[in-house]
Amino acid sequence: MNQVAEAPDIHQVIKETVGSPFTDKPKISTRNVDVFYDDKQAIFDVSLDIGNHEVIALIGPSGCGKSTYLRCLNRMNDTIQSCRVTGEFRLDEEDIYARGMDPVLLRARIGMVFQKPNPFPKSIYDNVAYGPKLHGLAGNRAELDEIVVSSLQKAGLYEEVKDRLNASGTGLSGGQQQRLCIARTIAVSPEVILMDEPASALDPIATATIEELIDELRQNYTIVIVTHSMQQAARVSQRTAYFHLGKLVEVGDTNQIFTNPQHQLTENYITGRFG
Amino acid sequence: MDTDLNLTPHISNRFNEELEEVRNLALNMGGLVEKQVSDGLKALLKAKSKLGEKVASSDYKVNAMEVDIDEQCTLILARRQPAASDLRLVISIIKTITDLERIGDEAEQLGIYAIKLADDNIKPSQFVELRHLGEHVKGMLHDALDAFARMDVDAALETIESSTILKEEYDAISRQLILQMMEDPRQIKNALRVHWCARSLERIGDHSENICEYVVYLVKGRDVRHVSLDEMKAELEI
Amino acid sequence: MSKQMNTTEQVRRSLKKRHRQEQRFILMGKLAVLSGFLFLAFLLADITIKAWPAFQQTWIQLDVAFDPQTLGVEAAADEAALKKGNYRGVLKKSLSAIFPDVSARRDKKALLKLISSGAEYQIRDTLLAAPEMLGTTQQMWVLADDDVDSFIKEPKLRELPQDDRRIKDNQVAWLAQLSEQGRIESQWNWAFLTSGDSREPEQAGIAGALRGTMLTILVVLAMSFPLGLAAAVYLEEFAPQNRWTDLIEINVNNLAAVPSIVFGLLGLAVFISFFGVPRSAPLVGGMVLTLMTLPTIIIASRASLKSVPPSIRDAALALGASKVQTVFQHVVPLAMPGILTGTIIGMAQALGETAPLLMIGMVAFIVDIPQGITDSATVLPVQIYLWADSPERAFMAKTSAAIIVLLLFLVTMNLLAVVLRKRFERKW
């Protein structure tokens, strides 16, 4: 197949999102999202609902805009000066980008875990306690202790670190660091957790632990996960959204996406074919 | 490839080759099984016990191929973790070869009965009604394999549709054999043998139908087993 | 296969050359390090040898008779009266007691010149401290004159013809006599570290300049660190990236390259003439040096802030920390070692600066040790400059000694930088 000769205009190929981007009573709903970096458009007219207590995986080739979209959800893109976001974002019917919406409050409700484990160079305890202290979630030391312990337990890290809560968070292994970051995030009791390739820097065993954890967290949180590993998306998510060159190509039940995708581009991507 | 299934090449050339190889093996196995069925039928209808022996003793080839293809599929699953159409292709092949192996077993049965009937000097004219059923089953198997090779959903559906004729033919033969047995109890032994042959042919038709259903699954991603033809068509929006 | 062999052969051939290159470079590097080290060692050795005499001081023992008659006071004089006494007469009498033969007026004057002009104040202060000594005779060590000091310390001066010497032959004879009587002694010169500047080398000390330097550095630290940190944090973390901030950045960088004397002119024009800050004071010196140090601190701090991984910022922001909380609870603490190093290096640079201080009058001759940041003062480098400029031979040693003190000061500050760095350094 001649790749060079055949370069169809992507905007013709992807006219509208295939599958079921909308759900009943979404936790987060986004409509007609466009994102620009200066004059360059990174995301084109994406509309997607994120259901309550579901794990939704955003997949797609590098530069497809999935991370950009993810960072729009908790307004992390605010810190990038050249970035301009338009469209409608709602968290439980509240406008995320409203003038009255404080990004600090928003980020307390929508937590985020990053690709590279990034614990603060402080003790394990202080890492987890930072968020609750910041937001004044604990009235006294005993309450704070309880939050720290329960967060570490939920993140499945407590048993491993209970004897050294005052040791540095950066001294842990990669997988433990990432679980520490997750514990730190859930210590603030967010409603939604965004995960940007949370396991890409980890070995398979640590990855499996994180995936298991994600599955458990689904009971209490809504999780949006960006991943490059299609197997991971297939394993942890209930719904999968496929992005391509800034467009949302297909959204659907994960089982369906991985056995019988509807759009040719999705098919090509998940089977590892030339686009 | 003129199908609904777009098979542009994978980024991994080796993966392409592996899939192509296992698919060709499955088609070869289909060809072999088809030959077995046709030989078995010929041995039966022409009362050739030599040919019957050949059919009966060749089944091991089919079995060996099944084992081989199974292993290749396992390796692909383990190494490539195929998804979507690739996954469906591998799954379809695994299932298809199981049915092909069963068809091979039935063909072996035909061969064995051909020997027995020939040894008892039973004239093929006495069970001429098998010819019709046999030809039809052969046609179905051929069409099914053809649909599989071309990934042709329409052809597969047509083949599934034609299985109703098969049922009618089989019922007709059964009734006729029961009549024969009632008229002349001395014929019961042979009539039962003929009935077993009819039964084998009917099973081959069933397995062919299964293969067609796998083709539909492979191309459309829908499981159409255990649904009526009308429902099937409605679901596939044909 | 043959091609393979060929490649190996070719690589092998070029290998020798490459190894030679490497060895040559290593040798050159070693030489460079060695020569740098030699220069430093030479400098330090030279200065130390030259400075050594400054830490030793020659004293002469006299039998001082606090005779009220000679002093011209009454037997029961009060303090005010004692202050006005004729102590020079007392000294003269003491000398005459040792050298009864010396009678010519000229010779008597030459004899008195053996003793420091500060000696009369020294014996006055002794008497004032203990008035009951009035009427008694005390054995006292008084400072020798700087010429005597130099003459005793530097044996080669004796070989010069009389006309080229500050110490004439008769004085040499007297000194020999004193020496025989055990009346000449060399002592550790504490006064150098505790007293202020003086026209007389034997009395001149470094304390005034040292105190002035410390006060100035404190002013610089108090002003430049908060200002520099605030500017760096704002520019790096908060300011929008546009043409204005680019302009500011370029200007900050340029400011670091402005000749220091220009800052002195600016200080003179703005701080002294316009704002009326007292001249010659550590306050205005510190302000001028702050101007000079700021760009260094800002540049170093920005580099340090930039090197904090963005993932830490992301982590804090994503937890709901505000921008200010993120910056001051995470980014600045992590950048602190670099910021402190930059600050200390900037201040060390300021510490060695002379030119801008000349412009704002810190070059004045100041005897008193400054007590506050508004007192007139001078600083070590300026003191070195002043002494280097003085004609008296003994000031040569003083200059070197002051350089050593300055170097020690700098080393201390750099050590402080290392210690602070180690203490604040965290791994991430």
Side-chain angles (χ1 to χ4, degrees), chain A residues 1 231 257-262 264 267-268 270-274, chain B residues 6-11 15 81 83-88 220-221:
Chain A
M1 182 163 287
Q231 276 75 36
I257 292 276
F258 283 92
T259 55
N260 189 19
Q262 298 305 301
Q264 190 59 54
E267 167 87 36
N268 285 349
I270 62 175
T271 55
R273 291 188 159 87
F274 294 128
Chain B
N6 182 311
L7 288 181
T8 54
H10 287 89
I11 293 161
F15 188 19
Q81 286 119 41
S85 57
D86 299 335
L87 178 66
R88 300 203 304 269
K220 293 289 181 185

Side-chain angles (χ1 to χ4, degrees), chain A residues 128-147:
Chain A
V128 183
Y130 181 71
K133 271 195 221 161
L134 203 61
H135 300 296
L137 298 182
N140 53 46
R141 178 80 189 185
E143 275 178 42
L144 191 61
D145 285 351
E146 200 189 314
I147 293 177

Side-chain angles (χ1 to χ4, degrees), chain A residues 71 74 76 79 81 104 107-108 110-112 114 116 118-122 127 130-131 134-135 170 184-185 188, chain C residues 239-242 309-323 325-326 329-330 334 426-428:
Chain A
R71 293 170 74 95
N74 68 344
M76 283 300 273
T79 56
Q81 208 186 340
V104 168
R107 289 175 197 145
I110 306 182
M112 189 161 185
F114 296 87
K116 213 180 112 202
N118 54 355
F120 300 126
K122 297 179 174 187
N127 261 286
Y130 181 71
L134 203 61
H135 300 296
T170 48
R184 184 174 69 181
T185 305
V188 188
Chain C
Q241 292 294 314
N242 56 29
S311 64
I312 294 290
R313 275 170 254 245
D314 280 351
L317 283 176
L319 277 178
S322 67
K323 183 87 192 167
Q325 285 170 323
T326 304
Q329 291 173 356
H330 296 283
L334 287 177
R426 285 209 188 101
K427 280 190 184 125
W428 56 74

